[in-house]
Amino acid sequence: MLSFEAARAKVIETIRAEKGLSVPARPTEKLDIAQTPALALGRVLAEAVICDRNYPPFDRSTRDGYAVRSSDFRESPAKLPLFGESRAGVPFAGELKAGACVRIMTGAALPKGADSVVMQEFTRAEGELIHFEKAPRQGQNVVPEGAEARKGEVALAQGTRLGFAELAMAAQVGQKSLRVFSKPRVAILSTGDEVVERDREPGPFQIRNSNSVSLAAQVTITGGEAVLLGNAPDRLSELRERIELGLQADILVISGGVSVGAYDLVETVLRELGTEFFFDAIAIRPGRPAVFGMVRGKPIFGLPGNPVSTMVTFELLAAPAIELLLGLDPGFLPLFKAKLRVAVEQNAPLTHFLPAQVTWPMSEPTVEPLPWEGSGDIGTITKANCFLVLHETNRKLKAGDWADVLPRRDKF
Ligand code: AMP
Ligand code: MG
């Protein structure tokens, strides 16, 4: 059975090979960001954004103080007469002559002739005469024109995911629209005779379809567009029909029906449709019976139906598929280390993903697993901000040991 790392790598490698995504051949769209800049948040640039001018566009002061010529400071302290002011948006007109200074504000342009700024804190004004306690280094407290970026340079490369800083950069260089990759459409199909849609009252042994909801949220937060196909009963003909429908999307994610029970028919239907399977189990708990295949060039994920299994396997397997189709490199799984508050042990020879809470009480992250009732227990996940990863090869850890943690994408 594949480890979760190998399974995730298999998904990435298979989709890359199928789609030739090194330069993503994805459809693109143009987003108007003049009025609603946050519209582009989380999207991936299909085209580089270019600097329209030098940044900063002038020699910029980083402090409130006095613009001076550093060569005027042969002796220290020095006294220089004040000749005017340069403030943000309104520069000093003319040139700073030798033996004089100009008051300057943060973000203002350095006057011609000046080469540095002395912070106000190191000066004392006596009428129009300024006393300097400290001599400046040449260039001190000044960012020279073009030091951050030069006109014509790439400000944001193709393939960049747009977060708040990237949107600020697009705004800075005057973009009114951005060309981004279209969101991959991810069809979500729930299966199970016992599952009812949320607008219906469940019978005593029925349960509401929550997987379609968690999956839609996970798809959205990963950057895909969720297409909800509802729930199919455990019958071949109806499964076939819904799966066919799902294959119109870019990716199909199915919950339930992939275990070995008599009513687990998803694999049967996928096989009939000519799916090439790359794995149908991975060495994890929860989530062991997870299936990945390709049919008609589309990635298909069959995720086990227990809600926490569905959540974990989506993050491990389906999320990188969405990232690839979105134009991103899924890279590594964002595990980090935290110090265990208590001892943990699991017997089953699998890698365990245990709901847990990470906190930073002092300088170190610490993690504590939460008591839970297994993979049906959504309530415990609502109190967890991560999963503690207990690797198959090291399933017994002491309090104080460093453990791997998989953050919940929506909690960090
Ligand atoms: P399965 O993987 O089909 O054997 O499903 C395992 C269990 O997960 C079922 O017995 C249900 O309790 C639960 N389950 C399956 N599908 C859903 C769903 N869409 N929403 C919530 N729970 C589900
Ligand atoms: Mg089922």
Side-chain angles (χ1 to χ4, degrees), residues 371-387:
W372 71 318
E373 298 299 330
S375 60
D377 185 358
I378 300 175
T380 298
I381 308 303
T382 66
K383 300 179 184 80
N385 61 6
C386 68
F387 292 93

PDB file of all heavy atoms in Angstrom, residues 371-387:
ATOM      1  N   PRO A 371      -9.605  14.443  22.165  1.00  0.00           N
ATOM      2  CA  PRO A 371     -10.342  13.176  22.255  1.00  0.00           C
ATOM      3  C   PRO A 371     -11.432  13.148  21.189  1.00  0.00           C
ATOM      4  O   PRO A 371     -12.072  14.177  20.942  1.00  0.00           O
ATOM      5  CB  PRO A 371     -10.961  13.217  23.661  1.00  0.00           C
ATOM      6  CG  PRO A 371     -10.897  14.645  24.084  1.00  0.00           C
ATOM      7  CD  PRO A 371      -9.804  15.298  23.329  1.00  0.00           C
ATOM      8  N   TRP A 372     -11.593  12.006  20.519  1.00  0.00           N
ATOM      9  CA  TRP A 372     -12.599  11.958  19.448  1.00  0.00           C
ATOM     10  C   TRP A 372     -13.161  10.569  19.288  1.00  0.00           C
ATOM     11  O   TRP A 372     -12.636   9.596  19.837  1.00  0.00           O
ATOM     12  CB  TRP A 372     -12.045  12.509  18.139  1.00  0.00           C
ATOM     13  CG  TRP A 372     -11.008  11.664  17.410  1.00  0.00           C
ATOM     14  CD1 TRP A 372      -9.962  10.989  17.974  1.00  0.00           C
ATOM     15  CD2 TRP A 372     -10.944  11.448  16.007  1.00  0.00           C
ATOM     16  NE1 TRP A 372      -9.237  10.375  17.001  1.00  0.00           N
ATOM     17  CE2 TRP A 372      -9.804  10.629  15.773  1.00  0.00           C
ATOM     18  CE3 TRP A 372     -11.698  11.855  14.922  1.00  0.00           C
ATOM     19  CZ2 TRP A 372      -9.441  10.217  14.483  1.00  0.00           C
ATOM     20  CZ3 TRP A 372     -11.323  11.455  13.653  1.00  0.00           C
ATOM     21  CH2 TRP A 372     -10.209  10.639  13.442  1.00  0.00           C
ATOM     22  N   GLU A 373     -14.220  10.487  18.528  1.00  0.00           N
ATOM     23  CA  GLU A 373     -14.930   9.221  18.338  1.00  0.00           C
ATOM     24  C   GLU A 373     -14.639   8.633  16.963  1.00  0.00           C
ATOM     25  O   GLU A 373     -15.450   7.905  16.408  1.00  0.00           O
ATOM     26  CB  GLU A 373     -16.440   9.437  18.505  1.00  0.00           C
ATOM     27  CG  GLU A 373     -16.854   9.924  19.887  1.00  0.00           C
ATOM     28  CD  GLU A 373     -16.472   8.927  20.991  1.00  0.00           C
ATOM     29  OE1 GLU A 373     -16.423   7.718  20.715  1.00  0.00           O
ATOM     30  OE2 GLU A 373     -16.197   9.388  22.111  1.00  0.00           O
ATOM     31  N   GLY A 374     -13.550   8.994  16.372  1.00  0.00           N
ATOM     32  CA  GLY A 374     -13.200   8.404  15.080  1.00  0.00           C
ATOM     33  C   GLY A 374     -13.708   9.221  13.916  1.00  0.00           C
ATOM     34  O   GLY A 374     -14.198  10.350  14.066  1.00  0.00           O
ATOM     35  N   SER A 375     -13.635   8.618  12.730  1.00  0.00           N
ATOM     36  CA  SER A 375     -13.740   9.390  11.492  1.00  0.00           C
ATOM     37  C   SER A 375     -15.132   9.908  11.165  1.00  0.00           C
ATOM     38  O   SER A 375     -15.326  10.608  10.182  1.00  0.00           O
ATOM     39  CB  SER A 375     -13.185   8.580  10.331  1.00  0.00           C
ATOM     40  OG  SER A 375     -13.925   7.389  10.217  1.00  0.00           O
ATOM     41  N   GLY A 376     -16.119   9.586  12.011  1.00  0.00           N
ATOM     42  CA  GLY A 376     -17.441  10.174  11.801  1.00  0.00           C
ATOM     43  C   GLY A 376     -17.646  11.446  12.610  1.00  0.00           C
ATOM     44  O   GLY A 376     -18.673  12.112  12.482  1.00  0.00           O
ATOM     45  N   ASP A 377     -16.668  11.795  13.445  1.00  0.00           N
ATOM     46  CA  ASP A 377     -16.838  12.831  14.471  1.00  0.00           C
ATOM     47  C   ASP A 377     -16.474  14.223  13.940  1.00  0.00           C
ATOM     48  O   ASP A 377     -15.363  14.709  14.135  1.00  0.00           O
ATOM     49  CB  ASP A 377     -15.963  12.437  15.675  1.00  0.00           C
ATOM     50  CG  ASP A 377     -16.128  13.368  16.861  1.00  0.00           C
ATOM     51  OD1 ASP A 377     -16.889  14.361  16.761  1.00  0.00           O
ATOM     52  OD2 ASP A 377     -15.484  13.100  17.883  1.00  0.00           O
ATOM     53  N   ILE A 378     -17.437  14.865  13.298  1.00  0.00           N
ATOM     54  CA  ILE A 378     -17.194  16.205  12.744  1.00  0.00           C
ATOM     55  C   ILE A 378     -16.989  17.213  13.875  1.00  0.00           C
ATOM     56  O   ILE A 378     -16.189  18.141  13.765  1.00  0.00           O
ATOM     57  CB  ILE A 378     -18.384  16.660  11.866  1.00  0.00           C
ATOM     58  CG1 ILE A 378     -18.593  15.690  10.705  1.00  0.00           C
ATOM     59  CG2 ILE A 378     -18.154  18.066  11.313  1.00  0.00           C
ATOM     60  CD1 ILE A 378     -19.813  15.996   9.853  1.00  0.00           C
ATOM     61  N   GLY A 379     -17.710  17.011  14.980  1.00  0.00           N
ATOM     62  CA  GLY A 379     -17.653  17.975  16.090  1.00  0.00           C
ATOM     63  C   GLY A 379     -16.237  18.214  16.579  1.00  0.00           C
ATOM     64  O   GLY A 379     -15.847  19.359  16.853  1.00  0.00           O
ATOM     65  N   THR A 380     -15.447  17.157  16.685  1.00  0.00           N
ATOM     66  CA  THR A 380     -14.080  17.326  17.164  1.00  0.00           C
ATOM     67  C   THR A 380     -13.241  18.127  16.162  1.00  0.00           C
ATOM     68  O   THR A 380     -12.399  18.932  16.552  1.00  0.00           O
ATOM     69  CB  THR A 380     -13.439  15.957  17.452  1.00  0.00           C
ATOM     70  OG1 THR A 380     -14.200  15.339  18.482  1.00  0.00           O
ATOM     71  CG2 THR A 380     -11.998  16.094  17.916  1.00  0.00           C
ATOM     72  N   ILE A 381     -13.512  17.914  14.879  1.00  0.00           N
ATOM     73  CA  ILE A 381     -12.735  18.670  13.874  1.00  0.00           C
ATOM     74  C   ILE A 381     -13.043  20.161  13.986  1.00  0.00           C
ATOM     75  O   ILE A 381     -12.173  21.000  13.741  1.00  0.00           O
ATOM     76  CB  ILE A 381     -13.021  18.163  12.440  1.00  0.00           C
ATOM     77  CG1 ILE A 381     -12.841  16.655  12.363  1.00  0.00           C
ATOM     78  CG2 ILE A 381     -12.105  18.851  11.418  1.00  0.00           C
ATOM     79  CD1 ILE A 381     -11.485  16.148  12.777  1.00  0.00           C
ATOM     80  N   THR A 382     -14.281  20.495  14.387  1.00  0.00           N
ATOM     81  CA  THR A 382     -14.595  21.926  14.530  1.00  0.00           C
ATOM     82  C   THR A 382     -13.778  22.569  15.651  1.00  0.00           C
ATOM     83  O   THR A 382     -13.668  23.780  15.716  1.00  0.00           O
ATOM     84  CB  THR A 382     -16.096  22.175  14.822  1.00  0.00           C
ATOM     85  OG1 THR A 382     -16.396  21.633  16.113  1.00  0.00           O
ATOM     86  CG2 THR A 382     -16.999  21.550  13.766  1.00  0.00           C
ATOM     87  N   LYS A 383     -13.212  21.751  16.529  1.00  0.00           N
ATOM     88  CA  LYS A 383     -12.377  22.298  17.618  1.00  0.00           C
ATOM     89  C   LYS A 383     -10.889  22.159  17.305  1.00  0.00           C
ATOM     90  O   LYS A 383     -10.040  22.587  18.082  1.00  0.00           O
ATOM     91  CB  LYS A 383     -12.700  21.579  18.924  1.00  0.00           C
ATOM     92  CG  LYS A 383     -14.160  21.752  19.334  1.00  0.00           C
ATOM     93  CD  LYS A 383     -14.467  21.011  20.627  1.00  0.00           C
ATOM     94  CE  LYS A 383     -15.935  21.117  20.954  1.00  0.00           C
ATOM     95  NZ  LYS A 383     -16.772  20.156  20.173  1.00  0.00           N
ATOM     96  N   ALA A 384     -10.565  21.542  16.179  1.00  0.00           N
ATOM     97  CA  ALA A 384      -9.162  21.279  15.825  1.00  0.00           C
ATOM     98  C   ALA A 384      -8.678  22.319  14.819  1.00  0.00           C
ATOM     99  O   ALA A 384      -9.443  22.725  13.941  1.00  0.00           O
ATOM    100  CB  ALA A 384      -9.031  19.888  15.216  1.00  0.00           C
ATOM    101  N   ASN A 385      -7.428  22.737  14.957  1.00  0.00           N
ATOM    102  CA  ASN A 385      -6.879  23.618  13.910  1.00  0.00           C
ATOM    103  C   ASN A 385      -5.831  22.894  13.066  1.00  0.00           C
ATOM    104  O   ASN A 385      -5.240  23.477  12.171  1.00  0.00           O
ATOM    105  CB  ASN A 385      -6.325  24.917  14.503  1.00  0.00           C
ATOM    106  CG  ASN A 385      -5.188  24.689  15.488  1.00  0.00           C
ATOM    107  OD1 ASN A 385      -4.726  23.575  15.658  1.00  0.00           O
ATOM    108  ND2 ASN A 385      -4.750  25.758  16.133  1.00  0.00           N
ATOM    109  N   CYS A 386      -5.634  21.591  13.371  1.00  0.00           N
ATOM    110  CA  CYS A 386      -4.641  20.840  12.604  1.00  0.00           C
ATOM    111  C   CYS A 386      -4.866  19.350  12.822  1.00  0.00           C
ATOM    112  O   CYS A 386      -5.701  18.954  13.634  1.00  0.00           O
ATOM    113  CB  CYS A 386      -3.237  21.212  13.075  1.00  0.00           C
ATOM    114  SG  CYS A 386      -2.909  20.644  14.746  1.00  0.00           S
ATOM    115  N   PHE A 387      -4.106  18.560  12.069  1.00  0.00           N
ATOM    116  CA  PHE A 387      -4.047  17.123  12.319  1.00  0.00           C
ATOM    117  C   PHE A 387      -2.630  16.787  12.766  1.00  0.00           C
ATOM    118  O   PHE A 387      -1.657  17.206  12.123  1.00  0.00           O
ATOM    119  CB  PHE A 387      -4.396  16.336  11.053  1.00  0.00           C
ATOM    120  CG  PHE A 387      -5.833  16.493  10.654  1.00  0.00           C
ATOM    121  CD1 PHE A 387      -6.221  17.474   9.752  1.00  0.00           C
ATOM    122  CD2 PHE A 387      -6.805  15.676  11.207  1.00  0.00           C
ATOM    123  CE1 PHE A 387      -7.563  17.633   9.395  1.00  0.00           C
ATOM    124  CE2 PHE A 387      -8.147  15.829  10.852  1.00  0.00           C
ATOM    125  CZ  PHE A 387      -8.528  16.811   9.958  1.00  0.00           C
TER     126      PHE A 387
END
